[in-house]
Amino acid sequence: MNRVDAAWAVGRPIIGGTTRAFTRLRVYGSERMPREGGLVLALNHFSWIDPPAFGYASPRTIYYMAKIEAHRIPGLGQLIRTFGTFSVRRGESDREAVRLMRQLVQDGRALGLFVEGTRQRSGVPGEVK
Protein backbone atom coordinates (compact mmCIF):
# COMPACT_ATOMS: atom_id res chain seq x y z
CA MET A 1 0.00 0.00 0.00
CA ASN A 2 1.48 3.36 -1.00
CA ARG A 3 1.21 6.66 0.90
CA VAL A 4 -1.83 7.88 -1.08
CA ASP A 5 -3.73 4.60 -0.63
CA ALA A 6 -3.01 4.81 3.11
CA ALA A 7 -4.36 8.37 3.23
CA TRP A 8 -7.54 7.23 1.47
CA ALA A 9 -7.93 4.22 3.78
CA VAL A 10 -7.86 6.51 6.82
CA GLY A 11 -9.62 9.48 5.22
CA ARG A 12 -12.48 7.76 3.39
CA PRO A 13 -14.58 7.04 6.53
CA ILE A 14 -13.92 10.56 7.87
CA ILE A 15 -14.68 12.17 4.51
CA GLY A 16 -17.75 9.98 4.08
CA GLY A 17 -19.16 10.89 7.48
CA THR A 18 -18.55 14.59 6.95
CA THR A 19 -19.95 14.50 3.41
CA ARG A 20 -23.07 12.67 4.55
CA ALA A 21 -23.57 15.26 7.29
CA PHE A 22 -23.68 18.09 4.72
CA THR A 23 -25.54 16.39 1.85
CA ARG A 24 -28.21 13.85 1.02
CA LEU A 25 -25.64 11.60 -0.58
CA ARG A 26 -26.99 8.63 -2.50
CA VAL A 27 -24.49 6.19 -3.99
CA TYR A 28 -25.44 3.81 -6.76
CA GLY A 29 -23.45 2.04 -9.47
CA SER A 30 -20.16 1.85 -7.56
CA GLU A 31 -20.29 -1.94 -7.90
CA ARG A 32 -19.80 -1.49 -11.67
CA MET A 33 -16.44 0.24 -11.27
CA PRO A 34 -13.57 -2.10 -12.16
CA ARG A 35 -11.61 -2.97 -9.03
CA GLU A 36 -8.28 -2.97 -10.82
CA GLY A 37 -6.67 -1.58 -13.95
CA GLY A 38 -6.28 1.97 -15.16
CA LEU A 39 -9.38 4.05 -15.75
CA VAL A 40 -10.49 7.63 -16.22
CA LEU A 41 -13.50 8.96 -14.30
CA ALA A 42 -15.04 11.84 -16.27
CA LEU A 43 -16.96 13.69 -13.56
CA ASN A 44 -19.27 16.70 -13.50
CA HIS A 45 -18.48 19.41 -10.95
CA PHE A 46 -21.40 21.29 -9.38
CA SER A 47 -20.21 21.92 -5.85
CA TRP A 48 -17.15 22.02 -3.57
CA ILE A 49 -18.44 18.79 -2.04
CA ASP A 50 -18.04 16.82 -5.31
CA PRO A 51 -14.42 15.65 -4.83
CA PRO A 52 -15.01 14.24 -1.32
CA ALA A 53 -18.39 12.78 -2.32
CA PHE A 54 -16.95 10.94 -5.33
CA GLY A 55 -13.96 9.87 -3.22
CA TYR A 56 -16.23 8.43 -0.55
CA ALA A 57 -18.46 6.68 -3.10
CA SER A 58 -15.57 5.15 -5.04
CA PRO A 59 -14.29 1.72 -4.05
CA ARG A 60 -10.87 2.83 -5.35
CA THR A 61 -8.37 5.56 -4.67
CA ILE A 62 -8.97 8.45 -7.05
CA TYR A 63 -6.07 10.59 -8.20
CA TYR A 64 -7.72 13.93 -8.96
CA MET A 65 -6.37 16.66 -11.17
CA ALA A 66 -7.03 20.15 -9.74
CA LYS A 67 -6.17 23.67 -10.82
CA ILE A 68 -2.84 24.89 -9.54
CA GLU A 69 -4.59 27.73 -7.69
CA ALA A 70 -6.23 25.17 -5.35
CA HIS A 71 -2.79 23.79 -4.49
CA ARG A 72 -1.66 27.27 -3.41
CA ILE A 73 -4.37 27.68 -0.74
CA PRO A 74 -2.75 27.17 2.67
CA GLY A 75 -3.99 23.96 4.29
CA LEU A 76 -6.10 22.89 1.31
CA GLY A 77 -3.09 22.40 -0.93
CA GLN A 78 -1.35 20.14 1.56
CA LEU A 79 -4.56 18.19 2.23
CA ILE A 80 -5.40 17.47 -1.40
CA ARG A 81 -1.81 16.48 -2.20
CA THR A 82 -1.94 13.97 0.68
CA PHE A 83 -4.83 12.32 -1.17
CA GLY A 84 -2.87 12.16 -4.45
CA THR A 85 -4.27 15.23 -6.16
CA PHE A 86 -1.89 16.82 -8.65
CA SER A 87 -1.96 20.25 -10.26
CA VAL A 88 -2.65 21.47 -13.76
CA ARG A 89 -2.02 24.91 -15.20
CA ARG A 90 -5.27 25.91 -16.87
CA GLY A 91 -5.40 27.93 -20.06
CA GLU A 92 -2.12 26.62 -21.39
CA SER A 93 -0.51 23.40 -22.51
CA ASP A 94 0.59 21.63 -19.31
CA ARG A 95 2.58 18.73 -20.70
CA GLU A 96 3.75 17.58 -17.27
CA ALA A 97 0.14 17.17 -16.11
CA VAL A 98 -0.66 15.20 -19.28
CA ARG A 99 2.37 12.95 -18.72
CA LEU A 100 1.31 12.33 -15.13
CA MET A 101 -2.27 11.51 -16.18
CA ARG A 102 -1.04 9.00 -18.73
CA GLN A 103 1.37 7.43 -16.23
CA LEU A 104 -1.30 7.06 -13.55
CA VAL A 105 -3.63 5.22 -15.91
CA GLN A 106 -0.80 3.07 -17.29
CA ASP A 107 0.09 2.17 -13.69
CA GLY A 108 -3.45 0.89 -13.12
CA ARG A 109 -4.70 3.89 -11.11
CA ALA A 110 -8.08 5.65 -11.22
CA LEU A 111 -7.77 9.19 -12.61
CA GLY A 112 -10.55 11.64 -11.69
CA LEU A 113 -11.17 14.60 -13.98
CA PHE A 114 -13.87 17.25 -13.70
CA VAL A 115 -14.51 17.57 -17.42
CA GLU A 116 -15.90 21.12 -17.46
CA GLY A 117 -12.68 22.39 -15.90
CA THR A 118 -14.53 24.33 -13.21
CA ARG A 119 -17.66 24.18 -11.03
CA GLN A 120 -20.99 24.60 -12.79
CA ARG A 121 -23.04 26.65 -10.36
CA SER A 122 -26.10 26.64 -12.65
CA GLY A 123 -26.80 22.98 -11.84
CA VAL A 124 -26.51 22.07 -15.54
CA PRO A 125 -23.43 20.32 -16.97
CA GLY A 126 -21.15 22.72 -18.83
CA GLU A 127 -19.08 22.40 -21.96
CA VAL A 128 -16.44 19.66 -21.80
CA LYS A 129 -12.90 21.10 -21.97
Side-chain angles (χ1 to χ4, degrees):
M1 178 180 286
N2 68 28
R3 175 190 62 80
V4 174
D5 289 331
W8 277 91
V10 171
R12 185 174 276 116
I14 297 166
I15 290 170
T18 305
T19 302
R20 293 181 79 97
F22 287 101
T23 66
R24 296 179 319 207
L25 183 63
R26 291 174 296 179
V27 177
Y28 56 92
S30 61
E31 72 279 356
R32 295 191 312 248
M33 181 183 288
R35 298 296 193 250
E36 56 187 47
L39 65 102
V40 176
L41 300 169
L43 307 165
N44 294 115
H45 196 8
F46 298 114
S47 168
W48 61 271
I49 200 105
D50 292 336
F54 285 120
Y56 169 68
S58 172
R60 296 182 58 176
T61 297
I62 301 174
Y63 288 76
Y64 287 114
M65 180 176 68
K67 62 185 178 181
I68 197 164
E69 295 85 356
H71 287 262
R72 293 179 178 150
I73 298 171
L76 177 64
Q78 292 89 335
L79 178 67
I80 63 178
R81 284 189 297 277
T82 299
F83 284 89
T85 300
F86 61 96
S87 65
V88 64
R89 294 184 316 270
R90 299 188 308 166
E92 60 183 274
S93 178
D94 189 342
R95 292 181 180 200
E96 184 56 34
V98 172
R99 280 188 204 100
L100 185 52
M101 287 186 285
R102 293 181 67 174
Q103 190 62 55
L104 285 167
V105 175
Q106 287 175 352
D107 291 346
R109 306 289 183 190
L111 170 64
L113 302 172
F114 291 102
V115 296
E116 295 104 342
T118 191
R119 282 191 317 261
Q120 302 301 307
R121 296 185 179 144
S122 66
V124 177
E127 177 185 346
V128 174
K129 302 291 181 184

PDB file of all heavy atoms in Angstrom, residues 7-20:
ATOM      1  N   ALA A   7      -3.588   7.165   2.906  1.00  0.00           N
ATOM      2  CA  ALA A   7      -4.358   8.369   3.231  1.00  0.00           C
ATOM      3  C   ALA A   7      -5.836   8.152   2.945  1.00  0.00           C
ATOM      4  O   ALA A   7      -6.706   8.541   3.736  1.00  0.00           O
ATOM      5  CB  ALA A   7      -3.829   9.569   2.440  1.00  0.00           C
ATOM      6  N   TRP A   8      -6.138   7.517   1.808  1.00  0.00           N
ATOM      7  CA  TRP A   8      -7.535   7.235   1.465  1.00  0.00           C
ATOM      8  C   TRP A   8      -8.160   6.230   2.436  1.00  0.00           C
ATOM      9  O   TRP A   8      -9.328   6.369   2.798  1.00  0.00           O
ATOM     10  CB  TRP A   8      -7.630   6.709   0.034  1.00  0.00           C
ATOM     11  CG  TRP A   8      -7.654   7.802  -0.981  1.00  0.00           C
ATOM     12  CD1 TRP A   8      -6.588   8.360  -1.609  1.00  0.00           C
ATOM     13  CD2 TRP A   8      -8.799   8.486  -1.475  1.00  0.00           C
ATOM     14  NE1 TRP A   8      -6.995   9.345  -2.462  1.00  0.00           N
ATOM     15  CE2 TRP A   8      -8.352   9.433  -2.410  1.00  0.00           C
ATOM     16  CE3 TRP A   8     -10.154   8.378  -1.229  1.00  0.00           C
ATOM     17  CZ2 TRP A   8      -9.218  10.284  -3.086  1.00  0.00           C
ATOM     18  CZ3 TRP A   8     -11.015   9.222  -1.905  1.00  0.00           C
ATOM     19  CH2 TRP A   8     -10.547  10.164  -2.825  1.00  0.00           C
ATOM     20  N   ALA A   9      -7.401   5.228   2.861  1.00  0.00           N
ATOM     21  CA  ALA A   9      -7.933   4.223   3.785  1.00  0.00           C
ATOM     22  C   ALA A   9      -8.338   4.873   5.110  1.00  0.00           C
ATOM     23  O   ALA A   9      -9.377   4.525   5.691  1.00  0.00           O
ATOM     24  CB  ALA A   9      -6.902   3.121   4.025  1.00  0.00           C
ATOM     25  N   VAL A  10      -7.543   5.814   5.570  1.00  0.00           N
ATOM     26  CA  VAL A  10      -7.860   6.513   6.815  1.00  0.00           C
ATOM     27  C   VAL A  10      -8.908   7.602   6.576  1.00  0.00           C
ATOM     28  O   VAL A  10      -9.840   7.774   7.363  1.00  0.00           O
ATOM     29  CB  VAL A  10      -6.577   7.127   7.425  1.00  0.00           C
ATOM     30  CG1 VAL A  10      -6.895   8.037   8.596  1.00  0.00           C
ATOM     31  CG2 VAL A  10      -5.613   6.027   7.841  1.00  0.00           C
ATOM     32  N   GLY A  11      -8.762   8.328   5.489  1.00  0.00           N
ATOM     33  CA  GLY A  11      -9.620   9.478   5.224  1.00  0.00           C
ATOM     34  C   GLY A  11     -11.008   9.175   4.707  1.00  0.00           C
ATOM     35  O   GLY A  11     -11.943   9.946   4.955  1.00  0.00           O
ATOM     36  N   ARG A  12     -11.173   8.059   3.990  1.00  0.00           N
ATOM     37  CA  ARG A  12     -12.477   7.764   3.388  1.00  0.00           C
ATOM     38  C   ARG A  12     -13.610   7.726   4.416  1.00  0.00           C
ATOM     39  O   ARG A  12     -14.650   8.354   4.203  1.00  0.00           O
ATOM     40  CB  ARG A  12     -12.427   6.470   2.574  1.00  0.00           C
ATOM     41  CG  ARG A  12     -13.723   6.196   1.824  1.00  0.00           C
ATOM     42  CD  ARG A  12     -13.631   4.995   0.888  1.00  0.00           C
ATOM     43  NE  ARG A  12     -13.046   5.422  -0.373  1.00  0.00           N
ATOM     44  CZ  ARG A  12     -11.883   4.992  -0.861  1.00  0.00           C
ATOM     45  NH1 ARG A  12     -11.172   4.107  -0.202  1.00  0.00           N
ATOM     46  NH2 ARG A  12     -11.437   5.434  -2.005  1.00  0.00           N
ATOM     47  N   PRO A  13     -13.475   7.028   5.556  1.00  0.00           N
ATOM     48  CA  PRO A  13     -14.580   7.040   6.534  1.00  0.00           C
ATOM     49  C   PRO A  13     -14.835   8.432   7.127  1.00  0.00           C
ATOM     50  O   PRO A  13     -15.979   8.810   7.347  1.00  0.00           O
ATOM     51  CB  PRO A  13     -14.114   6.082   7.628  1.00  0.00           C
ATOM     52  CG  PRO A  13     -12.949   5.354   7.101  1.00  0.00           C
ATOM     53  CD  PRO A  13     -12.402   6.133   5.945  1.00  0.00           C
ATOM     54  N   ILE A  14     -13.766   9.201   7.330  1.00  0.00           N
ATOM     55  CA  ILE A  14     -13.919  10.556   7.869  1.00  0.00           C
ATOM     56  C   ILE A  14     -14.591  11.447   6.832  1.00  0.00           C
ATOM     57  O   ILE A  14     -15.541  12.174   7.134  1.00  0.00           O
ATOM     58  CB  ILE A  14     -12.549  11.123   8.279  1.00  0.00           C
ATOM     59  CG1 ILE A  14     -11.956  10.277   9.408  1.00  0.00           C
ATOM     60  CG2 ILE A  14     -12.660  12.594   8.687  1.00  0.00           C
ATOM     61  CD1 ILE A  14     -10.485  10.534   9.671  1.00  0.00           C
ATOM     62  N   ILE A  15     -14.093  11.370   5.603  1.00  0.00           N
ATOM     63  CA  ILE A  15     -14.676  12.166   4.515  1.00  0.00           C
ATOM     64  C   ILE A  15     -16.130  11.766   4.295  1.00  0.00           C
ATOM     65  O   ILE A  15     -17.001  12.613   4.121  1.00  0.00           O
ATOM     66  CB  ILE A  15     -13.863  11.977   3.218  1.00  0.00           C
ATOM     67  CG1 ILE A  15     -12.508  12.645   3.356  1.00  0.00           C
ATOM     68  CG2 ILE A  15     -14.613  12.526   2.009  1.00  0.00           C
ATOM     69  CD1 ILE A  15     -11.544  12.305   2.240  1.00  0.00           C
ATOM     70  N   GLY A  16     -16.389  10.466   4.296  1.00  0.00           N
ATOM     71  CA  GLY A  16     -17.751   9.983   4.083  1.00  0.00           C
ATOM     72  C   GLY A  16     -18.712  10.484   5.138  1.00  0.00           C
ATOM     73  O   GLY A  16     -19.817  10.949   4.831  1.00  0.00           O
ATOM     74  N   GLY A  17     -18.294  10.416   6.397  1.00  0.00           N
ATOM     75  CA  GLY A  17     -19.161  10.888   7.479  1.00  0.00           C
ATOM     76  C   GLY A  17     -19.437  12.375   7.372  1.00  0.00           C
ATOM     77  O   GLY A  17     -20.579  12.828   7.540  1.00  0.00           O
ATOM     78  N   THR A  18     -18.392  13.140   7.089  1.00  0.00           N
ATOM     79  CA  THR A  18     -18.550  14.590   6.952  1.00  0.00           C
ATOM     80  C   THR A  18     -19.412  14.923   5.745  1.00  0.00           C
ATOM     81  O   THR A  18     -20.306  15.777   5.821  1.00  0.00           O
ATOM     82  CB  THR A  18     -17.164  15.261   6.819  1.00  0.00           C
ATOM     83  OG1 THR A  18     -16.367  14.872   7.942  1.00  0.00           O
ATOM     84  CG2 THR A  18     -17.285  16.766   6.759  1.00  0.00           C
ATOM     85  N   THR A  19     -19.170  14.252   4.623  1.00  0.00           N
ATOM     86  CA  THR A  19     -19.948  14.498   3.407  1.00  0.00           C
ATOM     87  C   THR A  19     -21.418  14.175   3.631  1.00  0.00           C
ATOM     88  O   THR A  19     -22.302  14.951   3.257  1.00  0.00           O
ATOM     89  CB  THR A  19     -19.391  13.661   2.234  1.00  0.00           C
ATOM     90  OG1 THR A  19     -18.020  14.001   2.044  1.00  0.00           O
ATOM     91  CG2 THR A  19     -20.155  13.920   0.952  1.00  0.00           C
ATOM     92  N   ARG A  20     -21.679  13.062   4.271  1.00  0.00           N
ATOM     93  CA  ARG A  20     -23.068  12.668   4.547  1.00  0.00           C
ATOM     94  C   ARG A  20     -23.758  13.649   5.487  1.00  0.00           C
ATOM     95  O   ARG A  20     -24.966  13.843   5.412  1.00  0.00           O
ATOM     96  CB  ARG A  20     -23.121  11.260   5.084  1.00  0.00           C
ATOM     97  CG  ARG A  20     -22.703  10.222   4.048  1.00  0.00           C
ATOM     98  CD  ARG A  20     -22.787   8.830   4.618  1.00  0.00           C
ATOM     99  NE  ARG A  20     -24.163   8.382   4.615  1.00  0.00           N
ATOM    100  CZ  ARG A  20     -24.704   7.617   3.672  1.00  0.00           C
ATOM    101  NH1 ARG A  20     -23.963   7.222   2.662  1.00  0.00           N
ATOM    102  NH2 ARG A  20     -25.951   7.254   3.744  1.00  0.00           N
TER     103      ARG A  20
END
